[in-house]
Amino acid sequence: MARVAELSIEGYRSIKGCIKIRFPQNAPLILVGENNAGKTNILRALDLILGEYWPGSKEPEDHEFWQRDALQGKIEITVTFDGMVGDAGTPLQSFVWTYNPKASKRCAFTGKSKQGHPINYVRNEWRDQCICVWVSADRRLSYHLGYSSKWTLLSKLMHKFHSSLIQDSSRVDRLKAKFHEIEEIFQEVEEFSSFQTGLAQQFGEMFSGMSYGLNVDFSAYDPSRFFRSLQVVPHENGERRTLEELGTGQEQILALAFAHAYAKAFYGGIVLAIEEPEAHLHPLAQEWLARKIHQMAADGLQIVITTHSPHFVDLMGLEGLVLVRKDDENATQVCQLTSQQLVQHCLNTGSHRQKTNPDTILPFYANQSTQEILNGFFAKKIILVEGQTEQLALPVYFQKVVLDVTREGIEIVPVIGKGNLAKWWRLFTAYGIPVYVIFDNDCQDDNTGIKRKDALRALGVDEHNRDNYLETDQWLITPKFSVFGKDFETTMRAQFKEYSQLEQEAKDLLGDSKPIVARYVATKLSAQNGDAGWKKWQELKDAILNLDLSN
């Protein structure tokens, strides 16, 4: 069966210039990014080529053109395949849908062979080799498990069953004989037999000149639709249920299971696209579903999801991770890395680790990731901090200098130690996410300074100046990073007159947990007391807001 290898889109909705997305082997394609970045538009483009509606008759509406320019805009969507074959077994490379309002034939749905020869007409039989089933936000499971259209997943499945069935004529004859036996049993019901005879007689009298009439029959008797009598129904504790009784979360899980069984039975031939599979699921169910999605993809099902949940991000499948964002023109852009590209970025930013090679870099990152760290993929900017103390206290201080980090899409990510600052800075900046680094000079876990020097080297600080930053006991703020002197608490005590008193108050009330004490003090300090520390927090706020990848 055919598989999608690549999708390219240009001029469609929020997508201006051409973006290309590679589909990984045996791993899901995960589209992440903030709201309104264009993730759903990518699914729409895929569905336009491989979904239930014929692309050749598509007439785009104004909003489907970049900047709604229906007079001058041009749309082009290309799906490249592996294993797609045309007539006489000719290997096919791609399907291309274009819409050009200036062309004599505005809409064109064409193809290209593996040899590069153009194909002017794409046959439906070719499209059937690789279909897209889109489980959108409205979760249309009842639609896909019914026969309301020949494009539903169940209709396509039964069509495939029927095609296999009729290849053996003796099997068809045996099945017809069995159905005839069933009909004879129904004829024993006098009311049924009388109704059937009377209906035929009435049509014979009223429409004698017509070639068509009505018979009371079973759909399974029709040799063109033996399997149409089959239904897919949910059950609970041995009792049959309706699809309407299912929760939305259960529906999407069943849709996933059905598509997986389809792909296994026919060796692929389906792309399952799911919008926000985490919707309507509690966190543990999200984690479970994420594992199932990765397992099913490893088993051959092509899956594309959009998500805002870190549960679905697996760094071992990094080549299927696509960060979707808007640029300065408000146009959708994508960033998709190979393991080799990540290695090169790490080497370019000063990594000296032996693990920096394509064979080990993904396990190196995947085995040390946490949900809090992976949240960074959904942020506009990231502040990397050493631990929970800064993670809990910083949002409070920023709020008091009028910076709501949540509203601004800034994620404060604790990396659990100085030795992890450089590592995660390299990963996130490889995806083009601006990252600000905050650490202190507490040497407890970095006596030689190697860990802090690695972070400074990644940040581009030359060797001559690194020692100056490692030796300071002052609160230093630069465009790329900040040093909280000897340690966070000592620096805050020096900046705020009431800090020590509030610290003791917190310990008396809440115990000695440093993160809890730090947050308590931050909430109690008044931004109106004129302490010098508030000027420093304002300076840090400005540095973070001004941060971009050019810093």
Side-chain angles (χ1 to χ4, degrees):
M1 276 291 184
R3 294 175 59 86
V4 174
E6 185 178 85
L7 171 67
S8 67
I9 313 166
E10 182 175 359
Y12 182 61
R13 292 178 177 261
S14 64
I15 300 162
K16 180 185 180 184
C18 183
I19 65 170
K20 293 182 182 292
I21 298 173
R22 303 181 306 278
F23 281 63
Q25 287 281 349
N26 302 113
L29 183 68
I30 311 293
L31 306 179
V32 301
E34 58 186 305
N35 287 326
N36 199 39
K39 300 185 294 296
T40 300
N41 289 339
I42 294 170
L43 297 190
R44 287 189 177 107
L46 181 66
D47 184 64
L48 194 155
I49 299 289
L50 300 178
E52 62 182 278
Y53 299 108
W54 177 246
S57 57
K58 168 73 174 176
E59 186 72 24
E61 298 183 46
D62 288 357
H63 66 269
E64 294 182 272
F65 292 87
W66 163 249
Q67 292 190 329
R68 305 178 68 90
D69 189 358
L71 297 179
Q72 303 294 326
K74 177 183 176 182
I75 303 173
E76 182 168 310
I77 303 171
T78 302
V79 177
T80 303
F81 300 97
D82 289 327
M84 178 69 72
V85 294
D87 296 341
T90 303
L92 301 180
Q93 176 178 299
S94 59
F95 296 159
V96 183
W97 182 82
T98 57
Y99 190 92
N100 185 352
K102 295 182 178 179
S104 55
K105 184 180 180 182
R106 293 178 298 181
C107 182
F109 186 41
T110 60
K112 184 181 291 186
S113 72
K114 284 289 186 182
Q115 291 74 30
H117 302 309
I119 298 170
N120 293 327
Y121 182 77
V122 174
R123 295 166 60 89
N124 249 330
E125 292 82 355
W126 303 346
R127 288 179 77 233
D128 284 346
Q129 295 175 49
C130 188
I131 64 172
C132 176
V133 173
W134 183 6
V135 183
S136 60
D138 59 7
R139 304 292 188 255
R140 298 183 303 162
L141 179 63
S142 56
Y143 168 75
H144 276 295
L145 295 188
Y147 295 107
S148 60
S149 160
K150 70 176 183 178
W151 292 100
T152 69
L153 190 52
L154 187 61
S155 292
K156 285 183 170 290
L157 181 65
M158 297 314 166
H159 176 73
K160 287 183 177 290
F161 287 164
H162 175 76
S163 297
S164 298
L165 171 73
I166 63 176
Q167 290 176 12
D168 186 334
S169 58
S170 65
R171 181 168 54 198
V172 173
D173 291 339
R174 295 199 314 272
L175 192 58
K176 286 182 177 180
K178 292 294 183 184
F179 283 140
H180 183 65
E181 292 178 18
I182 294 173
E183 184 180 23
E184 289 178 343
I185 295 173
F186 272 87
Q187 292 290 344
E188 295 174 7
V189 179
E190 183 178 348
E191 292 84 355
F192 173 78
S193 177
S194 175
F195 174 78
Q196 187 181 43
T197 302
L199 182 66
Q201 181 179 347
Q202 288 295 325
F203 268 94
E205 294 174 357
M206 296 173 64
F207 301 106
S208 58
M210 295 181 64
S211 59
Y212 284 95
L214 288 181
N215 284 326
V216 178
D217 207 340
F218 300 100
S219 62
Y221 292 173
D222 183 350
S224 67
R225 48 189 284 166
F226 279 121
F227 280 96
R228 287 293 290 271
S229 59
L230 299 182
Q231 292 182 316
V232 177
V233 295
H235 62 85
E236 183 179 31
N237 299 324
E239 296 291 329
R240 178 170 171 165
R241 298 285 184 259
T242 66
L243 292 172
E244 288 74 18
E245 293 178 85
L246 298 177
T248 307
Q250 291 174 309
E251 279 201 37
Q252 66 196 43
I253 291 172
L254 285 178
L256 182 66
F258 193 93
H260 179 241
Y262 181 104
K264 288 290 289 181
F266 298 102
Y267 310 104
I270 182 172
V271 181
L272 181 61
I274 311 176
E275 270 192 287
E276 300 178 15
E278 69 273 14
H280 312 290
L281 297 178
H282 63 76
L284 288 178
Q286 291 181 29
E287 186 175 355
W288 176 85
L289 181 58
R291 287 203 306 269
K292 293 301 294 182
I293 283 176
H294 284 273
Q295 290 168 8
M296 290 179 176
D299 203 27
L301 176 61
Q302 284 200 287
I303 305 177
V304 186
I305 71 168
T306 69
T307 184
H308 295 103
S309 170
H311 287 295
F312 294 86
V313 178
D314 181 357
L315 294 181
M316 283 301 296
L318 176 132
E319 300 201 6
L321 180 64
V322 180
L323 181 62
V324 185
R325 64 163 68 86
K326 292 282 188 71
D327 62 16
D328 293 339
E329 292 185 273
N330 209 33
T332 295
Q333 300 291 329
V334 297
C335 180
Q336 183 179 19
L337 299 178
T338 65
S339 55
Q340 180 58 59
Q341 287 172 322
L342 178 57
V343 166
Q344 193 58 54
H345 177 75
C346 291
L347 294 174
N348 291 345
T349 53
S351 175
H352 293 162
R353 292 179 181 271
Q354 293 181 347
K355 293 188 174 93
T356 310
N357 65 71
D359 295 327
T360 59
I361 195 163
L362 298 188
F364 173 70
Y365 274 107
N367 291 329
Q368 300 181 61
S369 65
T370 66
Q371 296 301 308
E372 288 181 319
I373 290 173
L374 295 177
N375 278 334
F377 280 109
F378 304 91
K380 291 181 179 178
K381 293 182 181 180
I382 296 171
I383 303 173
L384 290 185
V385 297
E386 295 182 51
Q388 211 175 21
T389 296
E390 296 86 351
Q391 180 193 21
L392 294 181
L394 262 60
V396 181
Y397 285 108
F398 284 133
Q399 189 75 47
K400 293 187 175 184
V401 292
V402 199
L403 172 59
D404 186 332
V405 292
T406 302
R407 185 184 64 191
E408 297 295 331
I410 299 172
E411 187 73 29
I412 299 176
V413 176
V415 298
I416 319 302
K418 294 177 174 63
N420 294 318
L421 290 167
K423 171 174 64 184
W424 295 110
W425 182 92
R426 290 184 174 110
L427 178 70
F428 289 125
T429 57
Y431 279 91
I433 305 173
V435 182
Y436 196 88
V437 176
I438 295 177
F439 63 91
D440 61 37
N441 281 326
D442 183 348
C443 299
Q444 187 173 355
D445 71 335
D446 189 25
N447 288 329
T448 62
I450 291 177
K451 297 175 181 178
R452 284 167 289 164
K453 286 182 179 179
D454 188 22
L456 292 171
R457 182 168 54 248
L459 288 159
V461 177
D462 61 68
E463 188 173 359
H464 174 72
N465 288 319
R466 288 173 204 159
D467 287 337
N468 295 333
Y469 290 116
L470 267 57
E471 294 168 0
T472 186
D473 60 359
Q474 302 298 307
W475 185 359
L476 300 180
I477 299 172
T478 79
K480 293 183 179 180
F481 65 93
S482 178
V483 184
F484 273 116
K486 180 180 178 181
D487 59 50
F488 180 82
E489 291 80 8
T490 301
T491 298
M492 292 301 101
R493 291 185 199 116
Q495 296 289 331
F496 296 97
K497 295 188 294 290
E498 295 180 285
Y499 197 94
S500 296
Q501 176 186 338
L502 292 171
E503 238 183 340
Q504 189 58 52
E505 182 180 306
K507 291 177 181 178
D508 293 340
L509 287 172
L510 305 172
D512 293 333
S513 169
K514 287 177 62 176
I516 294 174
V517 168
R519 181 168 60 180
Y520 177 90
V521 176
T523 60
K524 293 295 184 180
L525 285 170
S526 172
Q528 309 302 321
N529 64 12
D531 283 334
W534 293 118
K535 291 183 179 179
K536 296 293 289 186
W537 280 109
Q538 183 68 48
E539 184 183 347
L540 183 58
K541 163 194 165 181
D542 293 340
I544 291 167
L545 290 179
N546 292 329
L547 176 71
D548 60 37
L549 287 176
S550 64
N551 285 131

